[in-house]
Amino acid sequence: DKAMIELCRTLSKNGRHVLAIATNARDNNRWASKIREIPNVIFLERDVDFPADKINDKDLEVMLLRMVQNWPKLKTLTVMNSGVGYNLINDWHKEIRKFVKIYVHSWCFYINEYGMTGEPFITSLVYPYIDCLITDGEAYKKQLMDINGWDGEKILPIYLPINPVEQKTDYSIKRKIMYAGRFGSQKRIGLILQSRKELAKNNIDIVFYGSVDQSDDLYDSTRDMALIESSDNTEYAGPFNDFNKLPINDVDILILPTQYEGLPNIVLEALKANLFVIAGDAGSIGSVVKDYKNGFLVKENGSAEAYKQAILDFYNQQDKLLTPSERLKFNKKILHNHDQDVYEKNIMDVYGK
């Protein structure tokens, strides 16, 4: 969502016109309203403008092909998480490349219901036909190269900018940690809840912010909510849609026991706000979370014990951590590539002025 918004904003800011089409039927386009606010951007939705009961995916694919062939000012075809878009490239790449450059944005490997890493098969199919694959971290690039034997010349990490956030000002120890994000199988908040009693013995409370992913059939929200409600040191504080609304001065740590990721926005925002982060070693998180500097990277990513120990280490090894001012300086340096002006320059270097 954020990648689409930032791309459209940057292209618009640099005088480009964008036609953004949501091709997945029955998608909850949480970013639709923000896209519509951007000048020079036209946004079309699958269910509204191309009803699936009247225009199937193959029909939509042909319609997009005709746009490419007949829109003289079109410079690029960009695909982000679109099955229709991938099929369009795979089926018609020879024709499309006569008219435009083809860019794909992709961010991470998923983990399937059996706990196995899956490489998006369609990415392998279309890779030979695209001009550039843009991702948000070196880790995903390396994975793609290792698994597919690619030289990586067409894979370009461009780091997403971080939204403006308020900086933490109160660093007194609260003995309270925070999870903020979706409630789903990918995020595995159960790994934190397993240690709730041990954390309670150490006078550590946990507050949870977020909404249940209703589309995640693998996730048992009833179980986790029951555990939160039944424990004296855990609290569900409701959904959120703005990092600046989170009470970062009331907590010591943001924790993210995620199973797989690209480079999650919540981690970047927390680091920019100078909040200590404990996160699983997934995706490109390790490129920004550094042990004893600004957080702990949990190598045993599926271990509740490892997360519990990381939490206890924060409280028991304060003398080994950077001071808040040192951490702030470190974060500014490590997050430099996520500056808005750096992102915009990198995007326009690819898309052209």
Side-chain angles (χ1 to χ4, degrees), residues 130-261:
I130 67 176
D131 294 280
C132 185
L133 190 156
I134 297 171
T135 185
D136 65 348
E138 292 287 347
Y140 186 52
K141 175 179 179 177
K142 185 176 185 303
Q143 283 180 307
L144 287 169
M145 291 170 62
D146 291 345
I147 290 175
N148 296 294
W150 296 339
D151 59 17
E153 289 187 3
K154 292 197 292 188
I155 307 174
L156 179 63
I158 295 182
Y159 301 90
L160 286 173
I162 308 171
N163 295 331
V165 296
E166 296 179 8
Q167 188 181 314
K168 186 174 173 66
T169 56
D170 184 354
Y171 293 97
S172 60
I173 297 299
K174 303 293 192 300
R175 302 194 77 80
K176 190 172 188 178
I177 67 176
M178 173 178 70
Y179 169 84
R182 286 186 295 108
F183 284 41
S185 56
Q186 173 191 353
K187 303 302 182 179
R188 302 187 304 185
I189 65 171
L191 291 179
I192 314 172
L193 290 168
Q194 286 182 46
S195 301
R196 66 194 185 284
K197 293 181 180 179
E198 185 68 23
L199 294 176
K201 292 178 183 178
N202 289 271
N203 299 312
I204 299 170
D205 295 330
I206 318 166
V207 58
F208 294 87
Y209 288 86
S211 301
V212 174
D213 184 350
Q214 301 293 344
S215 65
D216 190 344
D217 296 332
L218 300 176
Y219 179 59
D220 185 355
S221 61
T222 303
R223 174 200 60 202
D224 283 349
M225 286 300 184
L227 289 175
I228 293 172
E229 293 173 1
S230 65
S231 303
D232 292 336
N233 68 323
T234 57
E235 171 194 2
Y236 175 61
F240 78 103
N241 57 12
D242 184 346
F243 183 87
N244 285 315
K245 300 296 177 60
L246 295 172
I248 61 172
N249 282 315
D250 298 336
V251 299
D252 306 310
I253 298 167
L254 173 81
I255 188 163
L256 183 67
T258 185
Q259 186 178 24
Y260 62 92
E261 289 287 347

Side-chain angles (χ1 to χ4, degrees), residues 71-86:
W71 194 353
K73 292 186 178 181
L74 196 65
K75 293 184 177 181
T76 62
L77 170 67
T78 296
V79 174
M80 288 189 185
N81 191 32
S82 167
V84 172
Y86 286 130

